[in-house]
């Protein structure tokens, strides 16, 4: 057994049944399942606490992770005191929750069938197989949907042995191999299994051409096998053979789960409003496509050899996001011609631009952490760094995937021309602060990356470009950063012009090849970051007290920054420190290898979960640390 597998086994959750537990499971006490269109969180107690049907950003059906009373859930567990452990079926996204009781051992296998391009993709089937593997166990199940984040009423009826939940906008059919009764707005049942026996529950979206269909044990087994084949077939394309294969592959599987297959979009996280601080207001909806996050995801997947995902994402941006009509964040259109070259920082998974933010005041939030938000007003922000992330992704796609088409190159030219014209604007920065625009070093750094990578593509392919203009802008940005981004007092590169505040985002400077990883200025910056923002290998983004971001409360260490720190140490030749910091970060993964956005003061995971940013950074850090260690 690998070291990572032993860590996962040793830290697997052991928790009593829900009846004796607090109202909320910790965020990290969940695993993720999905079908490349939507996803669900399954708690270590066997309860599905979060599920949006039929897509990541659809209104929730189960949201008890945001309100234990009004959110809705699908509970399924033994009706006796138990200990639980949760793990993934090897090399898949099929989740198994195992229950240990005095009289037996049972498990629930949760998955959403993925069978390539199934003609029934609109069914959105969620299957729960219950098995008794030793002795005997009594089980109870309660299916309590609360449609549209608990805002829509629904009716319940029985037809042809199925339980139908009907709301104005969505209908679900529950089929079961054990008898189910209606209890108010819910469906429930109690049953007992002895060793070798199995029960199956299937929850299907129905309507239109998708009609109710039973799910017998044989069909559930066939779908289980087909889904195993899909995930293992996909993962077999990975080229990674390094030291941390299990954790890297789990991260890759997670990134694939966050992909919306119909468009190739990649969401930043499958959840909304999971708090960065319990009781705080830093609660955001991440179920959208951040250009930055998705581009970095593609970088990580390309490193592992997954070129199809890169091709799909490039097509998504070309067809959806790069269309005219963006704004510059201040009400007007951007770009030198008023339309071309301007990107929003995020889009809906179908490419839509309008993502109005709304507070759901009827939901109390995870452990009382209000407000619960849907939509995201940050869509109107100006964040100049996205251009560097995107064009670097396109550069790597051209290098490792497929050569950029002429249409793609035309889009790149528009983007770079816009960057040459606008790189000096103040913006909200990579961390989406709501405290006013500033001239952030990271934003300027990534504008430099955008121009420099485009020039590499043009030179390598002989493509047409205004190289003189691009080179002038690139060199001007470089000199600006080296002059105004450097603080002689701090002996370090700083967050933005005019202040001496540090920011972990500058860790990207050597990673983006802007500065040598052994340059004296960079080494002193790395030391300064280590003194101010690093806590036993965990890295804070910045100090909100020194650099107010317009929000109340505190936040934990930001996990992507911790992995950036690993890479920066490795590139600086500090390999022992880098490896120790990386190994420490692995211990902060949850019991099935997943990471939320942040890590709190006592090691708890906080923020939206799981987060693509963290998993892509883990892949990159592992890849580059492996290479440095030889």
């Amino acid at each position: 057994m690998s070291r990572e597998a032993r860590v996962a086994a040793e830290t697997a959750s052991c928790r009593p049944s829900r009846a004796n537990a607090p109202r909320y499971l910790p965020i990290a006490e969940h695993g993720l399942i999905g079908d490349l269109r939507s996803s669900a969180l399954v708690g270590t107690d066997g309860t599905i606490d979060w599920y949006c049907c039929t897509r990541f950003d659809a209104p929730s059906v189960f949201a008890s992770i945001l309100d234990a009373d009004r959110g809705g859930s699908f509970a399924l567990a033994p009706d006796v005191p138990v200990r639980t452990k949760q793990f993934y079926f090897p090399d898949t996204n099929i989740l198994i929750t195992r229950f240990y009781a005095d009289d037996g051992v049972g498990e629930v296998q949760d998955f959403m069938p993925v069978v390539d391009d199934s003609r029934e993709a609109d069914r959105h089937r969620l299957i729960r197989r219950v098995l008794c593997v030793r002795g005997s166990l009594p089980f109870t199940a309660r299916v309590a949907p609360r449609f549209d984040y608990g805002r829509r009423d629904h009716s319940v009826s029985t037809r042809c042995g199925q339980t139908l939940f009907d709301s104005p906008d969505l209908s679900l059919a529950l089929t079961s191999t054990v008898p189910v009764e209606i209890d108010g707005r819910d469906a429930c049942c109690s049953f007992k299994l002895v060793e070798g026996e199995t029960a199956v529950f299937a929850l299907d979206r129905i309507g239109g051409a998708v009609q109710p269909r039973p799910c017998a044990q044989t069909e559930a087994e066939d779908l289980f096998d087909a889904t195993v084949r899909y995930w293992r077939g996909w993962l077999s394309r990975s080229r990674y053979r390094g030291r941390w294969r299990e954790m890297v592959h789990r991260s890759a599987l997670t990134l694939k789960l966050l992909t919306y297959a119909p468009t190739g979009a990649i969401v930043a996280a499958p959840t909304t409003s999971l708090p960065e601080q319990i009781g705080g207001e830093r609660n955001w909806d991440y179920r959208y496509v951040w250009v930055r996050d998705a581009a970095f995801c593609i970088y990580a997947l390309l490193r592992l050899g997954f070129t199809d995902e890169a091709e799909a994402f490039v097509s998504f941006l070309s067809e959806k996001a790069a269309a005219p009509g963006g704004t510059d964040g201040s009400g007007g259109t951007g770009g030198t011609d008023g339309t071309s070259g301007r990107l929003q920082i995020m889009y809906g998974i179908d490419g839509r631009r309008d993502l109005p933010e709304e507070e759901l005041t009827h939901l109390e939030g995870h452990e009382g952490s209000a407000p619960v938000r849907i939509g995201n007003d940050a869509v109107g922000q100006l964040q100049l760094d996205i251009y560097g992330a995107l064009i670097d992704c396109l550069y790597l796609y051209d290098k490792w995937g497929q050569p950029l088409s002429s249409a793609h190159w035309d889009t790149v030219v528009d983007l770079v021309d816009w960057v040459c014209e606008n790189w000096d604007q103040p913006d909200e920065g990579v961390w989406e602060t709501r405290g006013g625009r500033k001239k952030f070093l990271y934003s300027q750094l990534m504008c430099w990356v955008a121009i420099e990578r485009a020039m590499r593509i043009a030179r390598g392919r002989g493509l047409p470009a205004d190289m003189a203009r691009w080179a002038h802008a690139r060199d001007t940005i470089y000199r600006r950063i080296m002059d105004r981004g450097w603080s002689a007092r701090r002996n370090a590169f700083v967050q933005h012009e005019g202040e001496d505040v540090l920011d972990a985002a500058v860790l990207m400077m050597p990673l983006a090849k802007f500065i040598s990883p052994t340059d004296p200025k960079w080494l002193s910056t790395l030391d300064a970051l280590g003194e101010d923002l690093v806590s036993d290998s965990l890295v804070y983004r910045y100090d909100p007290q020194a650099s107010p971001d317009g929000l109340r409360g505190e936040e934990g260490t930001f996990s992507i920054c911790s992995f950036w720190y690993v890479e920066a140490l490795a590139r600086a030749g500090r390999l022992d420190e880098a490896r120790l910091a990386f190994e420490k970060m692995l211990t902060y993964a949850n019991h099935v290898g997943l990471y939320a956005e942040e890590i709190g003061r006592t090691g708890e995971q906080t923020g939206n979960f799981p987060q693509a940013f963290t998993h892509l950074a883990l892949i990159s850090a592992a890849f580059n640390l492996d290479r440095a260690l030889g």
Side-chain angles (χ1 to χ4, degrees):
M1 180 183 289
S2 69
R3 179 187 180 280
E4 290 80 9
R6 290 197 304 273
V7 169
E10 290 166 1
T11 59
S13 170
C14 292
R15 179 180 178 82
S17 63
R18 188 76 136 195
N20 300 317
R23 293 176 67 237
Y24 291 95
L25 285 176
I27 291 170
E29 290 289 310
H30 293 85
L32 181 73
I33 60 173
D35 61 2
L36 307 181
R37 288 165 174 80
S38 58
S39 61
L41 292 183
V42 185
T44 51
D45 59 359
T47 297
I48 297 179
D49 283 326
W50 177 255
Y51 175 47
C52 295
C53 182
T54 55
R55 37 192 274 170
F56 293 108
D57 57 355
S60 65
V61 173
F62 304 132
S64 57
I65 198 169
L66 295 178
D67 193 306
D69 301 321
R70 292 177 287 273
S73 64
F74 187 160
L76 176 57
D79 194 22
V80 292
V82 293
R83 295 174 295 109
T84 70
K85 291 188 178 181
Q86 198 175 63
F87 57 97
Y88 280 108
F89 196 78
D91 296 333
T92 76
N93 282 313
I94 296 173
L95 191 68
I96 299 176
T97 307
R98 178 160 284 199
F99 302 94
Y100 301 84
D102 291 341
D103 296 326
V105 177
E107 65 184 35
V108 176
Q109 300 173 348
D110 284 303
F111 67 101
M112 298 169 71
V114 183
V115 189
D116 297 324
D117 295 323
S118 169
R119 287 173 295 175
E120 286 203 318
D122 288 339
R123 180 170 292 276
H124 299 285
R125 171 165 276 187
L126 193 161
I127 295 178
R128 315 198 73 185
R129 296 175 73 201
V130 191
L131 296 80
C132 182
V133 296
R134 298 186 68 180
S136 64
L137 281 176
F139 286 86
T140 61
R142 176 170 289 272
V143 185
R146 299 294 182 263
F147 293 92
D148 190 18
Y149 309 104
R151 296 182 296 188
R152 288 278 195 173
D153 289 331
H154 68 273
S155 62
V156 188
S157 60
T158 302
R159 187 188 312 158
C160 300
Q162 295 178 307
T163 304
L164 305 183
F165 302 94
D166 290 302
S167 76
D169 303 312
L170 179 66
S171 295
L172 299 176
L174 175 70
T175 61
S176 172
T177 58
V178 294
V180 172
E181 298 179 350
I182 294 175
D183 182 13
R185 295 188 294 169
D186 306 340
C188 61
C189 68
S190 297
F191 58 98
K192 186 173 185 177
L193 299 178
V194 299
E195 187 169 329
E197 289 185 333
T198 302
V200 174
F201 296 86
L203 190 64
D204 290 349
R205 176 262 182 185
I206 58 173
V210 182
Q211 297 300 310
R213 189 180 76 202
C215 184
Q217 292 183 5
T218 53
E219 181 179 4
E221 186 172 350
D222 290 342
L223 289 171
F224 181 96
D225 292 341
T227 303
V228 168
R229 287 194 299 273
Y230 174 84
W231 288 117
R232 288 183 171 173
W234 181 82
L235 192 61
S236 68
R237 291 156 41 201
S238 170
R239 296 197 298 252
Y240 181 78
R241 300 293 183 271
R243 295 168 174 81
W244 298 284
R245 186 174 178 183
E246 186 167 339
M247 291 299 291
V248 166
H249 280 175
R250 176 50 53 199
S251 290
L253 285 164
T254 302
L255 294 183
K256 182 64 173 176
L257 266 185
L258 301 181
T259 302
Y260 183 62
T263 65
I266 302 175
V267 296
T271 51
T272 180
S273 301
L274 295 182
E276 297 176 19
Q277 178 188 22
I278 299 299
E281 66 172 351
R282 298 169 184 262
N283 316 320
W284 313 107
D285 192 346
Y286 278 7
R287 299 171 297 159
Y288 306 112
V289 188
W290 268 256
V291 172
R292 171 198 313 110
D293 300 40
F296 281 152
C297 283
I298 294 305
Y299 163 80
L301 291 173
L302 279 171
R303 277 294 194 192
L304 302 181
F306 297 106
T307 57
D308 290 348
E309 288 69 25
E311 183 175 358
F313 177 65
V314 169
S315 297
F316 168 79
L317 279 183
S318 297
E319 297 173 8
K320 308 285 186 180
T327 70
D328 63 7
S330 59
T333 55
T336 55
D337 63 359
T339 56
S340 63
R342 173 68 173 100
L343 289 175
Q344 288 188 178
I345 68 165
M346 73 178 87
Y347 297 86
I349 56 176
D350 54 1
R352 74 187 188 282
R353 296 170 176 272
D354 189 22
L355 307 173
E357 189 172 298
E358 177 184 357
E359 293 187 5
L360 303 181
T361 57
H362 66 288
L363 298 179
E364 72 172 6
H366 180 75
E367 294 197 27
S369 303
V372 171
R373 295 182 173 98
I374 56 174
N376 200 309
D377 278 347
V379 69
Q381 289 190 356
L382 178 65
Q383 297 176 19
L384 294 169
D385 68 282
I386 64 173
Y387 297 91
L390 175 59
I391 296 179
D392 192 36
C393 165
L394 295 177
Y395 163 72
L396 295 172
Y397 173 68
D398 184 77
K399 181 178 179 180
W400 296 336
Q402 297 293 327
L404 294 178
S405 68
S406 58
H408 290 153
W409 180 246
D410 289 342
T411 298
V412 169
V413 170
D414 283 343
L415 294 173
V416 176
D417 285 342
W418 190 92
V419 170
C420 289
E421 187 74 20
N422 293 278
W423 68 267
D424 192 31
Q425 294 187 49
D427 70 346
E428 277 86 5
V430 61
W431 307 131
E432 298 182 357
T433 59
R434 301 196 177 192
R437 293 183 177 182
K438 298 180 177 65
K439 294 193 175 183
F440 289 99
L441 183 152
Y442 182 77
S443 299
Q444 295 178 0
L445 165 70
M446 297 307 287
C447 285
W448 178 91
V449 169
I451 300 170
E452 197 275 338
R453 299 302 190 269
M455 293 178 69
R456 287 194 192 190
I457 299 172
R459 285 194 299 266
R461 296 272 307 279
L463 295 171
D466 189 347
M467 297 292 273
R469 183 189 184 212
W470 289 6
H472 176 74
R474 178 199 61 186
D475 295 348
T476 301
I477 297 171
Y478 177 88
R479 295 188 184 98
R480 178 73 163 265
I481 290 174
M482 298 302 287
D483 179 24
R484 302 190 193 180
W486 173 259
S487 169
R489 189 180 73 82
R490 298 301 306 269
N491 204 27
F493 291 102
V494 293
Q495 183 183 67
H496 57 80
E497 294 181 7
E499 297 287 346
D500 291 330
V501 177
L502 298 183
D503 189 324
V506 304
L507 286 164
M508 277 294 292
M509 294 179 75
L511 278 56
K513 296 180 169 55
F514 177 88
I515 193 170
S516 165
T518 57
D519 187 291
K521 282 190 171 183
W522 172 249
L523 293 178
S524 64
T525 299
L526 189 58
D527 288 339
L529 292 171
E531 292 172 5
D532 276 30
L533 298 181
V534 179
S535 173
D536 190 36
S537 81
L538 299 177
V539 183
Y540 291 94
R541 292 188 289 184
Y542 53 90
D543 180 355
Q545 302 302 316
S547 179
D549 54 15
L551 297 167
R552 296 187 300 272
E554 300 177 352
E555 62 175 20
T557 57
F558 211 67
S559 293
I560 189 174
C561 298
S562 299
F563 286 119
W564 284 349
Y565 185 59
V566 169
E567 282 203 58
L569 289 171
R571 290 172 188 258
R574 294 158 60 174
L575 293 181
D576 287 343
E577 292 178 67
R579 185 166 189 175
L580 180 59
F582 187 75
E583 294 284 359
K584 286 181 177 180
M585 273 301 297
L586 295 184
T587 69
Y588 287 102
N590 82 339
H591 56 286
V592 288
L594 302 181
Y595 289 87
E597 184 177 14
E598 300 182 9
I599 297 171
R601 290 185 179 276
T602 58
E604 75 277 11
Q605 297 209 35
T606 61
N608 282 301
F609 172 87
Q611 197 204 32
F613 234 177
T614 304
H615 286 278
L616 66 90
L618 184 154
I619 292 171
S620 181
F623 185 93
N624 288 295
L625 184 55
D626 262 320
R627 185 167 58 182
L629 290 170

